[in-house]
Amino acid sequence: MAPALTAPPWLTEGLRPRAAPVPWAAVARASVALSAPLAVGTATGRPAYGALVSMGALSGVIGDTADAYRMRVHNIAVPQLFGALGMLLGTLVFGAGWTAVATVTVVALVSGMISSIGAVASVSGLLLLLNAVVGAGLPLPSPWWLPPALLLLGGLVVLALTLLAWPLRVGVPERAVVAGTYRAVADLLEAAGTPEYDGRRRELTRSLNQSYDLLLARRARRHGRSPTLVRLLAQLNAVIPVVEAASAAQLRPPEFGPLAAGYPAAVRALADAVEQNRTGPPPPLGLPVPAGPSTRALVQAIGHAAVVVHEAAPDPYATGDRLGRPAGIEVRARRATRALLLSGASWRYGLRLALCIGLAQVLVSVIAVPRSYWVTLTVTFVMKPDFGSVFSRAVLRALGTAAGLLIAVPVLAEVPHGWWDVPVMAALAALIPALSAKGYAFQTAAITPVILLLSDLLNHQGFRLVPPRLYDSLIGCGIALLVGYLLWPDSWHTRIGDRLADAVQDTASYVSLALATAPGRDEPARARYRRRLYRDLSTVRSEFQRALTEPPPVGTRAEAYWPVVIAVERIVDTTTATRVRIEHGAPVPTAAEVATVTRELTGLAEALRTGGPPPGAEPDALAPDCALARLHHEVRAARSVVAPMARTATPAP
């Protein structure tokens, strides 16, 4: 009997819906923001105008990803301006032949380069290119300034709906995200001493990244003028020693079992206090009596956090900034511009995107492809570097487009234009935020019928739009795979080994910083380095997860190195735990012991970078009962994972 055919893991992983709650508020906003302009356009006899406003609203709905209201203004407004500029450039070269090809190609170069700056710049670059393609490929209402203005109006509609509750919810999103971090810490304490600990710690890292990104991004503009913001940042800083103490609790001998329930319960009570903005004397915490260095550290850290959380004054206990004040916007803008112009990766991606877009534009200019702008749109979406693997995105977009076309077929074939467009658009728009959280293929399936309906309002082709959309999508995916993937070795020989080697080298530096100083010294510097290292490891983990969605050989190589990522995270955690225990009475390691561990980590980093075996371990370098015995065990475990791979594999991918 022939074995059953199974889909490859890189495909099934992308098609598996992520577990995410339905964002009902975003669903309602999307439904109103995209359908209301169509209602106004129908009532005034200008359905094309309504379609353009809805197109701008679609961009705003996709870009609304922040929690805090001030950040949402930034995340929606800035990309909309770039989108309007792209529409203006595209409109000016509509029907201009090779001038249009050259213009869109240059826009693609700029779009690709600015996408490397950050999340908002990435969305801005995407909308700049997408709207330039639409403007150059569709006949739009005149005069030239009208389409960009209507797009901006659609963005303003989304912004207005987003900010309706701001006066009633000032500070609520910021408090909620900090309280969420406290609850993630409580979950971590609950998992100490159990197999669930590593997964909970990764969830906590994501929560800390989100909280610090939100608060520090705002503080860069409002530092010193917002006591509420300074107080929230103090509350977030106060939970860091609890996180470090949780690492120490994880190192307790197995016979101690999980931590007493009183510790996570106390942290959850602090989370409620943060969310409800309570002040005044902290209530009794009811913590168990400490029984060793780990629990002593935990009681002290939770007690300090309780005082900070309930203190009404903004951070009166901070003698220094634990995590460093962010640079001002002007300084960061200069750094970003310099990095943009001098970065080889930025130029490589910009040229790669420009080549794909230029080829798509040339192809549809010399071959009769109906509504050819869809080919270029497909290339743009597939080639986004921060949306995942180019290969898997191409496959998933083809599948998502096919699913979206199945939804669009009955709509375009049976629904008459006019007032029926309004409820249909309301239903289709509601699917976008609901399905976007599930994955890229699901987002594509939700957006495709919306864009087709809006395009039909501008072109009036009805059901005839459907087959060309599928052909165009397949052509665009083919261009992205051939020109944007196979012809660029750095895309299918991803340097994940180098990224992991850098993380291991930084871990060696952290070990030296954390353990080579006397107790009570350099605590702010260690906190900053540890936070940066955990963020870098989170990025490395995301890079590996992205590589796992690639077909062989990249996917199989990433899978082989995946245990090393986990091992490095455990080394960082163990280093933190060792330092906490030292601060609360555990033996202090000697300089020779610290040097041995750092030397072995440096050798491991070099082995990952070159693909060779790690240097031979020093026999009996550390005694089994020394202060760094547990840390040394974790380092040896990481080396044991790398050694067999070096004997059988080519250099790190």
Side-chain angles (χ1 to χ4, degrees):
M1 183 176 178
L5 294 177
T6 57
W10 57 265
L11 178 58
T12 55
E13 183 65 27
L15 291 176
R16 185 180 297 116
R18 292 194 293 262
V22 176
W24 292 110
V27 166
R29 278 195 303 272
S31 183
V32 173
L34 271 74
S35 61
L38 293 187
V40 175
T42 301
T44 57
R46 300 279 189 175
Y49 289 10
L52 282 170
V53 175
S54 293
M55 197 174 292
L58 174 62
S59 301
V61 166
I62 296 173
D64 182 17
T65 57
D67 294 313
Y69 286 102
R70 293 181 185 277
M71 296 305 298
R72 295 170 89 169
V73 173
H74 184 250
N75 287 6
I76 295 173
V78 173
Q80 288 294 127
L81 293 174
F82 278 86
L85 175 60
M87 179 65 75
L88 175 61
L89 294 173
T91 303
L92 292 177
V93 297
F94 173 74
W98 293 107
T99 301
V101 173
T103 301
V104 174
T105 302
V106 172
V107 170
L109 174 64
V110 176
S111 168
M113 293 186 68
I114 66 175
S115 292
S116 63
I117 296 176
V120 175
S122 178
V123 177
S124 300
L126 174 65
L127 293 184
L128 173 69
L129 180 55
L130 285 179
N131 289 334
V133 171
V134 171
L138 278 175
L140 300 176
S142 57
W144 57 268
W145 52 266
L146 184 58
L150 293 173
L151 279 184
L152 287 176
L153 179 59
L156 288 175
V157 170
V158 176
L159 196 56
L161 291 173
T162 300
L163 303 181
L164 279 177
W166 192 356
L168 303 176
R169 290 172 51 83
V170 173
V172 171
E174 291 88 345
R175 289 200 301 272
V177 77
V178 175
T181 297
Y182 270 75
R183 292 189 179 102
V185 174
D187 292 341
L188 183 70
L189 291 174
E190 213 165 47
T194 71
E196 287 79 29
Y197 179 85
D198 287 339
R200 298 280 178 86
R201 183 187 47 71
R202 286 190 287 273
E203 290 295 328
L204 172 61
T205 298
R206 281 191 285 270
S207 180
L208 280 168
N209 289 347
Q210 180 187 8
S211 297
Y212 275 116
D213 286 345
L214 181 62
L215 297 183
L216 293 181
R218 281 195 54 196
R219 191 178 68 155
R221 295 190 292 273
R222 295 170 55 84
H223 184 73
R225 299 199 303 271
S226 174
T228 301
L229 187 60
V230 174
R231 180 169 176 248
L232 279 171
L233 189 58
Q235 291 172 342
L236 187 58
N237 285 341
V239 84
I240 297 298
V242 185
V243 177
E244 295 175 342
S247 301
Q250 171 67 6
L251 281 190
R252 297 185 313 154
E255 57 266 21
F256 282 84
L259 280 172
Y263 296 111
V267 177
R268 287 196 177 94
L270 294 181
D272 294 338
V274 170
E275 194 162 36
Q276 297 166 19
N277 200 24
R278 297 181 199 154
T279 58
L285 297 174
L287 295 173
V289 177
S294 302
T295 47
R296 279 199 299 270
L298 198 52
V299 168
Q300 180 178 325
I302 294 176
H304 172 70
V307 173
V308 174
V309 164
H310 289 87
E311 175 59 53
D315 205 8
Y317 301 97
T319 57
D321 192 338
R322 290 172 59 88
L323 298 177
R325 179 179 177 179
I329 290 180
E330 299 81 2
V331 175
R332 289 189 293 163
R334 287 197 298 270
R335 291 175 181 170
T337 302
R338 185 166 56 249
L340 177 72
L341 296 177
L342 300 180
S343 167
S346 171
W347 278 100
R348 278 195 304 273
Y349 174 65
L351 291 171
R352 183 174 162 191
L353 179 60
L355 180 61
C356 291
I357 294 295
L359 179 60
Q361 288 289 97
V362 170
L363 180 67
V364 299
S365 297
V366 299
I367 299 176
V369 179
R371 297 275 64 85
S372 57
Y373 69 94
W374 197 272
V375 176
T376 315
L377 287 182
T378 300
V379 172
T380 302
F381 275 116
V382 171
M383 288 296 297
K384 281 298 293 174
D386 48 353
F387 284 2
S389 155
V390 169
F391 187 95
S392 63
R393 276 204 317 278
V395 176
L396 294 175
R397 180 161 181 85
L399 295 174
T401 300
L405 290 175
L406 292 178
I407 301 174
V409 165
V411 173
L412 296 177
E414 301 297 334
V415 177
H417 281 311
W419 285 105
W420 278 106
D421 289 328
V422 178
V424 170
M425 178 58 74
L428 293 177
L431 295 176
I432 296 175
L435 294 182
S436 292
K438 302 298 182 183
Y440 181 71
F442 298 92
Q443 182 188 52
T444 302
I447 292 176
T448 296
V450 171
I451 296 181
L452 284 174
L453 180 56
L454 294 176
S455 299
D456 190 39
L457 288 170
L458 295 169
N459 292 284
H460 304 289
Q461 289 191 325
F463 179 75
R464 289 174 296 172
L465 271 175
V466 175
R469 288 299 72 80
L470 181 58
Y471 306 150
D472 294 347
S473 294
L474 294 177
I475 293 172
C477 291
I479 291 174
L481 283 176
L482 178 62
V483 182
Y485 180 77
L486 295 177
L487 297 184
W488 296 79
D490 63 339
S491 66
W492 44 278
H493 285 162
T494 311
R495 303 301 298 177
I496 51 178
D498 283 348
R499 291 176 175 87
L500 184 55
D502 292 340
V504 173
Q505 187 61 59
D506 289 342
T507 302
S509 301
Y510 175 59
V511 169
S512 179
L513 176 64
L515 302 178
T517 55
R521 300 283 300 278
D522 296 332
E523 192 274 338
R526 286 190 291 105
R528 286 193 292 270
Y529 202 100
R530 177 182 177 275
R531 178 89 280 279
R532 181 175 67 82
L533 183 55
Y534 268 120
R535 180 182 290 273
D536 291 345
L537 285 173
S538 179
T539 303
V540 168
R541 172 175 282 270
S542 298
E543 191 71 26
F544 268 77
Q545 288 173 329
R546 182 179 303 176
L548 288 172
T549 65
E550 296 272 9
V554 173
T556 51
R557 289 174 177 173
E559 187 176 2
Y561 277 86
W562 183 248
V564 187
V565 178
I566 298 173
V568 174
E569 291 174 338
R570 293 175 63 88
I571 290 170
V572 176
D573 234 25
T574 305
T575 303
T576 300
T578 303
R579 178 66 195 204
V580 170
R581 291 171 60 82
I582 290 170
E583 293 285 347
H584 290 82
V588 179
T590 65
E593 292 170 346
V594 175
T596 297
V597 173
T598 14
R599 195 160 49 244
E600 291 194 1
L601 281 171
T602 300
L604 178 62
E606 186 61 26
L608 288 168
R609 192 169 282 113
T610 62
E618 304 173 31
D620 303 323
L622 296 179
D625 58 347
C626 73
L628 298 185
R630 180 64 180 267
L631 177 60
H632 195 232
H633 170 75
E634 297 293 349
V635 174
R636 289 289 177 89
R639 289 166 56 90
S640 68
V641 173
V642 174
M645 292 191 298
R647 290 194 295 268
T648 59
T650 54

